[in-house]
Amino acid sequence: MERINRILRNQRFQEHLRKNQAAETDRIFCHHDMGHFLDVARIGMILNLQEGLGIPAELLYGAALLHDIGRHEQYGTGIPHEEAGARIAPGILAECGYTAEEIREIEEAIALHRDSGTEKRADLAGVLYRADKASRACFACQASSQCNWKAVKKNQEIQW
């Protein structure tokens, strides 16, 4: 997991994480912070094991840590955060020792993590999509009644 720890220590990663935090200071809904990133990574690992996919942990954690890293750009410029994240992530991943092939796979997963057509895929993109959606504790959210997620999409029970 050395490359994951390199991401955590990466100056650009830390900068984007701070920008996300500043952009969401007054947000009453789910935050896109380290807690969310780790929830997605750990749920993703559970799904990976349950489904027998064999996705390397460093790929799954890398995708999870970076999938919402461009959220602050969505708030500031309106660019969808999956596009911003797919643009930001490759540079960070390269600095942290990922190969070109691994970077392409993670970049694709980030770009597709909001695309419902990805949900059933048995690869990194599919796991990231499912883990991201499953990570939200809607059943305990005080802002749930104001959230724009449809009721059928909200997590009302613990699954993993």
Side-chain angles (χ1 to χ4, degrees):
M1 296 292 277
E2 178 55 33
R3 294 185 294 175
I4 298 306
N5 289 312
R6 286 185 204 161
I7 292 172
L8 294 177
R9 293 187 298 264
N10 182 277
Q11 186 174 11
R12 286 198 292 161
F13 174 76
Q14 288 295 323
E15 177 186 333
H16 288 287
L17 197 59
R18 282 190 296 275
K19 287 179 179 180
N20 276 358
Q21 184 178 8
E24 294 186 336
T25 299
D26 297 324
R27 183 177 164 88
I28 63 169
F29 303 109
C30 299
H31 286 221
H32 303 87
D33 55 13
M34 188 57 69
H36 172 60
F37 299 164
L38 290 174
D39 286 346
V40 171
R42 291 171 177 152
I43 291 170
M45 286 302 298
I46 292 168
L47 294 171
N48 184 32
L49 291 170
Q50 285 180 337
E51 297 172 18
L53 299 176
I55 299 168
E58 285 193 330
L59 289 185
L60 219 157
Y61 268 79
L65 289 175
L66 294 166
H67 80 283
D68 282 339
I69 203 66
R71 191 69 186 203
H72 64 90
E73 288 192 21
Q74 183 169 323
Y75 299 132
T77 66
I79 185 172
H81 73 274
E82 65 274 18
E83 289 177 24
R87 180 181 40 77
I88 294 165
I92 294 170
L93 292 165
E95 290 173 7
C96 296
Y98 285 81
T99 68
E101 183 178 324
E102 290 171 326
I103 291 169
R104 279 191 298 278
E105 187 174 355
I106 292 170
E107 182 181 1
E108 176 189 34
I110 292 169
L112 295 174
H113 85 271
R114 295 179 68 202
D115 181 343
S116 61
T118 307
E119 181 176 10
K120 303 235 185 271
R121 286 176 50 169
D123 63 1
L124 179 61
V127 169
L128 183 63
Y129 177 91
R130 293 189 300 280
D132 184 38
K133 305 310 170 263
S135 71
R136 299 308 190 174
C138 304
F139 55 85
C141 178
Q142 294 189 9
S144 184
S145 64
Q146 298 164 303
C147 179
N148 65 2
W149 273 24
K150 294 179 181 167
V152 297
K153 193 175 174 185
K154 291 181 182 179
N155 297 317
Q156 297 300 337
E157 298 176 343
I158 294 174
Q159 294 180 22
W160 296 280

